[in-house]
Amino acid sequence: MNLLTKFSIGQYVYGNKSWLRIIDSRLKIIIVMIFLITPIWAGPIWRLFLVGCLLLITFLSLLPPRVWWRSLCVLSCLSLLIGCISILASSDFQSLDSYLRNPNELQVVLESYKKWNILQIPSQKIWFINFGPYNLSRKALELGIKTSTLIFTFIHSVNLMLLTTLQEDIVWGLGWFLYPLRKIGLPISKWLFQLLIALRFIPLVQEELQNIIKSVSVRSINFRNLGFKKAFNIFLILVERLFKNIFLRIDQGAESLLSKEKINITTNRFKTFYPSKSLNVIANTLSICFICIAIFLRKLYGAL
């Protein structure tokens, strides 16, 4: 199994078929920041809208399905699992027959169209198993939607940008936004160079993980015969070996940088110059329109 080709998470995939590649990197950063920032203090409707936009962009991006469908399926299952856990953990499992105080005692006017409970299942007995009462409240459902959509938008929006944008373009775009801070004397170039190294390090981590998985599969370890304690011990050994290999790669990269007497860091040379075409202008113009519409809709429908 080749993780680098089947699960291309955080890696740039070369090609020229997708219109996402020709959008300016600065506009991509702004769009990603919309997906990262606007869900904060937003209601479930806006969060579901962002998920729908991401899915629509993914399906219409003209990227090869083999690039994104595996990571999309895994991320969707992970988001749904965490959302279900949030719903179950925050729901009320107390008995529905318990004494409830009269809500009229509270000096608060409750809106008539809002109900506290969405689903109520009384205690039932199926064969010899007793199932207690279950109460799904509105707050629990909203919490499940918020957690699942937040994980999906955070990971998938950044992954789409990394799939279709060179690391150098991302660093140059961030350097363009952070240019005023250089006047204060902050080492922006060094920070961006560290970010570029971190982005280049993502495939190395995936490669080390792939090597660990292959080493386990070659040895054909039967975890059932080992028992829980020994199997968990082997798992800890593999995790320790993974981190040792990653730290070894970091040490080698640091030594190669220290061996050079002087490193000239200029983010301007990171910019990739694309040939100016009408399609580039159209894609960038539509991106600006999307940014304006998203900010306007967030103000109207994104409140809690």
Side-chain angles (χ1 to χ4, degrees):
M1 182 178 67
N2 194 350
L3 295 177
L4 298 177
T5 57
K6 291 187 177 181
F7 293 93
S8 53
I9 299 177
Q11 304 178 46
Y12 177 73
V13 179
Y14 290 91
N16 54 3
K17 293 183 179 180
S18 176
W19 50 269
L20 290 175
R21 302 180 187 276
I22 61 177
I23 299 177
D24 194 277
S25 59
R26 295 167 292 184
L27 295 176
K28 290 181 184 179
I29 293 173
I30 295 175
I31 294 174
V32 170
M33 293 305 295
I34 288 176
F35 284 104
L36 297 181
I37 295 177
T38 55
I40 301 175
W41 298 105
I45 297 177
W46 178 254
R47 293 170 182 259
L48 291 174
F49 173 75
L50 291 180
V51 172
C53 283
L54 276 177
L55 292 176
L56 185 63
I57 292 173
T58 304
F59 291 134
L60 300 180
S61 62
L62 301 181
L63 286 171
R66 58 181 176 82
V67 174
W68 51 264
W69 77 268
R70 289 187 179 89
S71 59
L72 182 63
C73 292
V74 173
L75 181 59
S76 301
C77 294
L78 177 63
S79 303
L80 291 175
L81 178 62
I82 296 178
C84 293
I85 293 174
S86 301
I87 291 175
L88 295 175
S90 58
S91 298
D92 187 11
F93 288 92
Q94 296 178 358
S95 176
L96 298 176
D97 299 331
S98 61
Y99 175 74
L100 298 177
R101 296 183 62 182
N102 188 2
N104 295 326
E105 296 179 7
L106 302 175
Q107 300 298 324
V108 179
V109 179
L110 301 177
E111 298 179 0
S112 59
Y113 66 89
K114 285 189 177 181
K115 296 181 180 179
W116 292 103
N117 300 326
I118 298 177
L119 178 64
Q120 294 182 355
I121 301 177
S123 58
Q124 296 179 359
K125 183 177 182 181
I126 301 177
W127 198 18
F128 60 90
I129 302 176
N130 293 323
F131 294 93
Y134 177 75
N135 181 14
L136 176 61
S137 62
R138 179 182 294 274
K139 292 295 182 180
L141 182 62
E142 290 181 356
L143 180 62
I145 293 175
K146 287 179 181 179
T147 53
S148 59
T149 54
L150 193 65
I151 292 173
F152 185 86
T153 52
F154 271 37
I155 298 178
H156 193 58
S157 59
V158 176
N159 186 38
L160 274 181
M161 183 180 69
L162 294 177
L163 285 175
T164 57
T165 313
L166 287 170
Q167 291 89 349
E168 290 80 2
D169 282 346
I170 298 174
V171 172
W172 175 82
L174 291 174
W176 187 86
F177 286 111
L178 300 177
Y179 181 78
L181 298 179
R182 296 181 182 178
K183 303 298 182 180
I184 307 176
L186 295 177
I188 301 299
S189 298
K190 292 183 179 179
W191 294 350
L192 294 176
F193 183 68
Q194 292 175 359
L195 176 62
L196 179 61
I197 294 176
L199 292 176
R200 292 289 184 87
F201 200 73
I202 294 176
L204 297 179
V205 176
Q206 295 179 348
E207 183 180 356
E208 291 298 334
L209 179 61
Q210 175 180 295
N211 294 335
I212 293 294
I213 295 175
K214 285 184 178 180
S215 64
V216 175
S217 62
V218 168
R219 288 169 175 80
S220 302
I221 302 174
N222 193 347
F223 291 96
R224 293 183 179 179
N225 296 332
L226 292 177
F228 177 77
K229 188 175 181 179
K230 293 183 179 179
F232 187 71
N233 190 19
I234 292 178
F235 175 74
L236 292 179
I237 294 173
L238 295 177
V239 173
E240 182 183 2
R241 174 54 58 184
L242 174 64
F243 280 101
K244 282 185 178 180
N245 293 344
I246 292 174
F247 291 149
L248 179 61
R249 292 289 189 99
I250 295 174
D251 192 19
Q252 292 173 354
E255 289 180 356
S256 63
L257 290 176
L258 292 175
S259 62
K260 300 181 180 180
E261 297 180 356
K262 185 179 179 180
I263 301 176
N264 187 13
I265 304 172
T266 55
T267 56
N268 292 330
R269 63 187 179 89
F270 290 155
K271 179 175 173 54
T272 303
F273 293 95
Y274 295 98
S276 58
K277 297 180 181 179
S278 58
L279 187 60
N280 299 34
V281 178
I282 294 173
N284 292 328
T285 305
L286 292 177
S287 301
I288 295 173
C289 294
F290 175 79
I291 293 171
C292 297
I293 293 172
I295 295 174
F296 178 73
L297 292 177
R298 171 63 176 84
K299 185 177 180 181
L300 289 181
Y301 305 104
L304 287 171

